Each structure stands twice: as C-alpha cells, then as structure tokens.
Amino acid sequence: MSHGYEGAELLERVRKANPLVHNITNVVVTNFTANGLLALGASPVMAYAKEEVAEMAKLAGALVLNIGTLNAAEVEAMLMAGRAANEAGVPVIFDPVGVGATNYRTETARCIAEQIKLAVVRGNAAEIANMIGEPWMIKGVDAGQGSGDVVALAKRAAAELGTVVAITGKEDVVTDGQTVYVVGNGHPLLTKVTGTGCLATSVIGAFAAVERDAVKAAVAALTYYGVAAERAAAEVGERGPGSFQAAFLDALAHTTADDVKRTGRVEQR
Ligand SMILES: Nc1ncnc2c1ncn2[C@@H]1O[C@H](COP(=O)(O)OP(=O)(O)OP(=O)(O)O)[C@@H](O)[C@H]1O
Ligand SMILES: Cc1ncsc1CCO
Ligand SMILES: [Mg+2]
C-alpha cells in the first residue's frame, strides 16, 4: 500500500458504516475529539459513569481509552468498559497520555495494558518508551529523533505489549512487532493545536471499527489524518493555530478516498 490505496478504501468504509466510537477521554480534548470524529463521518459518544460504560462499550464499534486527565473513578470506568468491550469483541484503542511524567500515569497505563486486550496503543515516542520502561525524554521528542530509532522502539513495544503500536511524530510508525509501516503525511501545525494526538487515537478507533486488521486500520487512519492536515495547512497559509484547527476539522470532512490515494505517503520498512 505504498500510495495509501488500501487506506483510501477503508476511509470509504468508515463513512458508509458511520461507526459509534465510545471515548473515555480527557477534559481538554473532549469537544475537539467529538467534532473531529463527526467531521470524519463517525459517531462519537463520551460516557464515563460506571453505571453505563459497560453497556455503551458493547454498543460501540470501538472503545477509545485516554488517560490525559485521569482520576480514580475514571480509571475504574475504563477497566469496566474495557472488559465489556473485550467480551463483546469490540476493539479497544489506548492513548497513554503523559506516561512517564508521574508514577500514577505509568502504573495506570501498565495496569490497563495488562488487564485489557488492546487492539492499538497510540502515543508519541516518549509515551511509548515509558510504557515499556525505557528512558526517553518527555520534552524534545522531535529533536534529533532518527526514525530508525522509533521503528526499533515501536517493534520492541509491540512485542512487549502484545498489541499493535502506533508512534506518531514527524513520521508515524505502525507495527505489530513484525510488519512495519511508516506514514510520511502530516504537518508541524498539528503540534500547535492541543488534542491532535488524542483525536488521531480516536480516528484510529473509527477505522478499527470497520477493519479487524489493526495494522491496516491504524495505517489507513494516520494516512488520512496526515493528508487532511496537509490540506488544512495549505489553506491557512501564514495564519496560525486557531485557523488551522478550524481548517483541519473542515479538511477531515472534505478529504476524499481519492485524495488519500493521490497524496498518501506510506512505505513498508
Ligand atoms: N513534526 C511533525 N510534522 C508533521 N506532523 C507531525 C509532527 N509532529 C506530530 N505530527 C502529527 O501530529 C499528530 C499528533 O501526533 P503527536 O505525536 O504530536 O501526538 P501527541 O504528542 O500525543 O499530541 P497531544 O498529546 O497534544 O494530543 C499526528 O498525526 C502526527 O503525525
Ligand atoms: C494539555 C493536556 N493536559 C492533559 S491532557 C492534555 C491534552 C493533550 O492530550
Ligand atoms: Mg498525546
């Protein structure tokens, strides 16, 4: 799929299926995540109460867990939702926000990875390294980060976690520990809007809802996402992050399968 061809087909499947994506996510990105999923053509729902999360997770096409602003009640709800999703065969996607910054985050993330069968873990390089106890700077992830190192890190993480791992950054790396894909699309303005990583994780959820091969789903999602970002950046020109955020939501809605086919840059490593 060197030209994003398979990913293009998957984008059409997402839009046709309009999958329900159940998010238990952080308070910073909730609205942006819901709007991004709507723009894509999926159906977002946020539900956090332990009285309803299991029921909602079973209804959904995918469950997305994000520990960005975690607390004890929410972690309990995530585990309940995750177990219900696992029982119902609903793919669970995990975003280990800020793992390594505090012991609570690190312990919680590892607990979720141990107790819940995860389809994809999506984080930046520092978060993925910290998931498996490897030292990695929390800040300055992009500084001098050779993609070769990130590929090796992603493979180690996938092997240790027993799940597909997606590391985002200048290039996105997706692997099940064996096959590795690198997505070249994206734009630096994505790093100037909060929650673009979190939304990427939820978009992977929408693709995983219609494609059981989690590597394919994650590659297709991130290619589409990067292509949309490039389109938005071209539209905003010299204007800044605020304009980009709005243009990016528009681009998520307007980016077509054909755009992905033409401008997607995916290579197998
Ligand atoms: N330097 C860059 N150039 C192009 N695209 C980038 C760059 N850095 C990140 N991206 C893209 O930005 C999106 C978010 O990835 P990133 O790794 O920044 O997530 P994150 O650190 O979890 O972000 P957040 O926690 O703010 O949501 C991805 O689609 C990724 O490809
Ligand atoms: C800024 C911030 N703080 C906790 S979560 C979050 C959004 C990025 O994930
Ligand atoms: Mg993040």
Side-chain angles (χ1 to χ4, degrees), residues 18-211:
N18 186 220
L20 182 69
V21 181
H22 177 193
N23 303 271
I24 303 182
T25 189
N26 70 72
V27 299
V28 183
V29 305
T30 306
N31 177 270
F32 181 61
T33 301
N35 280 326
L37 285 170
L38 281 174
L40 159 62
S43 289
V45 66
M46 279 59 180
Y48 301 84
K50 67 178 192 305
E51 289 82 359
E52 69 167 357
V53 284
E55 212 180 327
M56 188 67 82
K58 285 183 183 169
L59 274 181
L63 171 69
V64 177
L65 304 177
N66 175 310
I67 61 165
T69 52
L70 78 179
N71 60 60
E74 201 170 285
V75 171
E76 192 190 337
M78 284 185 193
L79 292 169
M80 289 173 73
R83 280 185 210 109
N86 282 173
E87 276 167 26
V90 173
V92 184
I93 321 300
F94 182 48
D95 191 325
V97 181
V99 160
T102 67
N103 286 325
Y104 183 45
R105 276 169 202 263
T106 305
E107 281 160 18
T108 300
R110 291 188 188 156
C111 168
I112 288 170
E114 266 164 34
Q115 296 196 25
I116 307 301
K117 182 173 168 27
L118 301 170
V120 182
V121 178
R122 196 293 315 165
N124 58 45
E127 289 161 343
I128 298 301
N130 281 292
M131 276 297 292
I132 57 169
E134 291 190 12
W136 199 292
M137 281 187 303
I138 286 285
K139 290 213 162 180
V141 170
D142 285 334
Q145 166 193 296
S147 74
D149 294 344
V150 180
V151 167
L153 170 63
K155 285 171 96 170
R156 286 195 299 275
E160 184 161 334
L161 298 169
T163 168
V164 168
V165 166
I167 299 182
T168 54
K170 191 171 184 303
E171 293 182 317
D172 304 325
V173 177
V174 177
T175 184
D176 55 5
Q178 307 290 326
T179 319
V180 180
Y181 289 97
V182 178
V183 179
N185 300 94
H187 194 277
L189 274 170
L190 283 168
T191 66
K192 299 297 175 194
V193 174
T194 191
T196 57
C198 305
L199 174 56
T201 307
S202 290
V203 167
I204 291 171
F207 279 69
V210 302
E211 172 56 60

Side-chain angles (χ1 to χ4, degrees), residues 4-5 7-9 11-12 15 255-262:
Y5 180 78
E9 186 257 331
L11 173 60
E12 284 178 342
R15 288 185 170 147
T255 295
T256 63
D258 196 52
D259 297 329
V260 176
K261 246 181 243 177
R262 277 187 298 104

